[in-house]
Amino acid sequence: MAEHEYSATDITVLEFDAAVREWPGMYFGVGLDDPRLPIMLLSAAARHALHPATSVAEEHSLTSVIEILGGLRFRVTINQQHTWPDSPPLGYYDSLIGPEWWLLAAIATLCETTTVEMWCDRRGFSQGLAGLRPRATVQRFDPPTGSGTRITFALDAQDLPPGAEFPADLGGLDVHGPYCAAADGPGTVVIRDHRNDPDISTSSSGAFPTDRHGR
């Protein structure tokens, strides 16, 4: 039997959002059918906020808040210092999420809707997405003070195991991951669970959740 000769016709190129859904374990450490997926998505968001791309900030330097809003919705707010001269550059599929926040973009691919807001110098820009794909063009909005990025995720139940939800016990939240070797810094991640209102916070020093503070 003659050996098959591979050519370009044997290669399937997947777009970013399709690749995330095909191999979620590469991004979140678990598959779409794993009941741990919701907590792993929260962990991914927290880790990326503390360990952003070098073009954004140094590791363990940003402060951020992750809010569980109820159901399958959560929001990430990061004090990112924007430097764009007029408006944010567009990223994946002409959305406001660019490759510098690739892990947040990966989370968006599992969402029914995603809302992205960015602001600096009293200029605010927002956009609604279906997953990672824009539902509308970028719009102006009246922003908070300072400079930052805020993304609200509404996970698509069809991409998650039946009955999936964020656990009541957030002790499995990992804000550093297995390969973090960054030095101590001022970076802080605060977790706010609006389902029952306790505030659970961690900084970049120590280990979460044993002492609630970690660098």
Side-chain angles (χ1 to χ4, degrees):
M1 180 182 295
E3 291 187 6
H4 176 71
E5 294 185 4
Y6 288 93
S7 66
T9 60
D10 297 294
I11 300 174
T12 300
V13 179
L14 296 179
E15 296 195 65
F16 178 75
D17 50 359
V20 173
R21 289 190 292 269
E22 183 74 17
W23 300 294
M26 294 178 59
Y27 300 87
F28 312 120
V30 296
L32 297 182
D33 58 348
D34 194 308
R36 296 175 296 167
L37 182 58
I39 191 69
M40 298 300 280
L41 296 178
L42 290 178
S43 295
R47 288 200 307 270
H48 205 21
L50 272 183
H51 310 90
T54 56
S55 61
V56 173
E58 295 182 358
E59 293 187 349
H60 294 182
S61 66
L62 297 178
T63 61
S64 59
V65 177
I66 297 178
E67 300 170 273
I68 302 175
L69 303 175
L72 292 172
R73 298 174 62 244
F74 72 101
R75 179 166 53 219
V76 180
T77 304
I78 305 170
N79 73 325
Q80 180 182 1
Q81 297 301 305
H82 294 293
T83 58
W84 19 268
D86 181 47
S87 62
L90 298 181
Y92 294 106
Y93 314 115
D94 289 333
S95 76
L96 283 176
I97 307 181
E100 71 277 11
W101 290 115
W102 62 272
L103 198 47
L104 299 182
I107 295 172
T109 67
L110 303 183
C111 291
E112 185 174 5
T113 61
T114 308
T115 302
V116 187
E117 298 167 295
M118 295 182 176
W119 64 91
C120 77
D121 299 330
R122 300 181 180 178
R123 295 169 294 157
F125 302 87
S126 67
Q127 187 180 40
L129 314 177
L132 190 54
R133 307 278 179 147
R135 293 188 292 128
T137 58
V138 176
Q139 306 292 319
R140 293 267 190 166
F141 81 102
D142 188 16
T145 59
S147 178
T149 295
R150 180 167 57 208
I151 305 178
T152 304
F153 302 99
L155 298 174
D156 191 341
Q158 294 183 359
D159 282 332
L160 304 179
E165 60 182 8
F166 298 115
D169 180 5
L170 298 176
L173 187 66
D174 178 7
V175 302
H176 291 289
Y179 307 111
C180 175
D184 291 357
T188 302
V189 175
V190 176
I191 309 297
R192 292 184 178 145
D193 188 346
H194 293 292
R195 296 171 300 179
N196 46 26
D197 285 335
D199 284 358
I200 305 170
S201 58
T202 179
S203 72
S204 63
S205 76
F208 181 91
T210 304
D211 59 6
R212 311 277 183 187
H213 296 279
R215 283 185 209 269

